[in-house]
Amino acid sequence: MVEGQGAAQQQELQGTDIVELEYRPTVGDFTPALRARRGVSKAGRRQFWLLGGVTVLVALEGALALAGENVSVLPLIWLLVFAPLMLLTPWLQARQVQRFAECQGTFRVTVTDVGLTVTTDNVTVALNWVAQPRYRETTGAFVMLSPDKNAVGFTVLPKRAAHTPADVDRLRAILDRNLTRV
């Protein structure tokens, strides 16, 4: 988007609630965000069901082994490979996303009832609430998610970037008014 569009939106909002954030993204910002995204995406739920299925298979194979039956170790191998990979995936993805975000420099985010404007050293983007109509709150951030079934698009708003604790509460109030909490 063009920088002037975000500034025009902000001028229209004189007297409304505005929260400003400023931060440099870290892997710690993206890891819980990607976990939250996985929890609402269809693909993420499928991974959990698959892990649960493999765990049940391993338990059944273990019960058969205790009963003296000849069993396959293949489900155990799948569980030993798949479970750590599934647990590490958000962290590995977060490292990749953070490398890209780090190149953008300092993030300055302005959140209003119209949407938000993200300005970095290299780019300015204005998002209205329709682009990412739902959000999830984690311990350290608010994660805005796109409406598609796999939540491909997401925006992380770290709580540490707020100037005061009251700004976090105001940000939560703005998000609650305009987005659906998932």
Side-chain angles (χ1 to χ4, degrees):
M1 298 256 164
V2 179
E3 186 173 349
Q5 288 176 332
Q9 283 180 346
Q10 297 308 319
Q11 287 175 350
E12 291 176 8
L13 294 170
Q14 297 300 328
T16 62
D17 206 9
I18 296 174
V19 176
E20 294 180 341
L21 309 171
E22 186 171 334
Y23 64 98
R24 289 190 67 88
T26 66
V27 172
D29 294 331
F30 292 114
T31 302
L34 288 164
R35 281 193 183 108
R37 177 180 158 256
R38 182 172 63 185
V40 299
S41 75
K42 191 173 184 177
R45 288 189 302 272
R46 208 173 307 134
Q47 287 177 351
F48 283 120
W49 279 103
L50 183 59
L51 181 61
V54 171
T55 302
V56 168
L57 262 173
V58 168
L60 289 173
E61 292 283 334
L64 288 174
L66 288 174
E69 298 289 325
N70 188 12
V71 296
S72 170
V73 295
L74 188 60
L76 178 62
I77 293 170
W78 272 96
L79 183 64
L80 292 175
V81 170
F82 186 68
L85 184 62
M86 188 176 139
L87 295 173
L88 287 175
T89 298
W91 179 74
L92 294 169
Q93 289 175 331
R95 288 186 49 183
Q96 293 174 339
V97 172
Q98 193 272 336
R99 284 187 201 131
F100 172 75
E102 186 176 11
C103 295
Q104 303 304 312
T106 301
F107 281 60
R108 290 166 212 81
V109 181
T110 304
V111 183
T112 67
D113 279 310
V114 172
L116 62 104
T117 303
V118 180
T119 303
T120 69
D121 296 343
N122 302 321
V123 68
T124 297
V125 176
L127 292 170
N128 62 24
W129 298 122
V130 176
Q132 295 178 342
R134 54 193 178 146
Y135 84 99
R136 179 168 274 187
E137 183 174 357
T138 68
T139 304
F142 296 98
V143 184
M144 296 172 39
L145 302 159
S146 62
D148 56 286
K149 64 184 176 184
N150 286 318
V152 174
F154 68 98
T155 301
V156 181
L157 304 173
K159 292 177 183 178
R160 67 179 174 80
H163 300 297
T164 66
D167 285 345
V168 174
D169 294 333
R170 288 180 33 238
L171 177 57
R172 184 181 296 111
I174 292 171
L175 295 177
D176 282 337
R177 277 194 306 269
N178 296 289
L179 302 178
T180 304
R181 186 185 289 244
V182 291

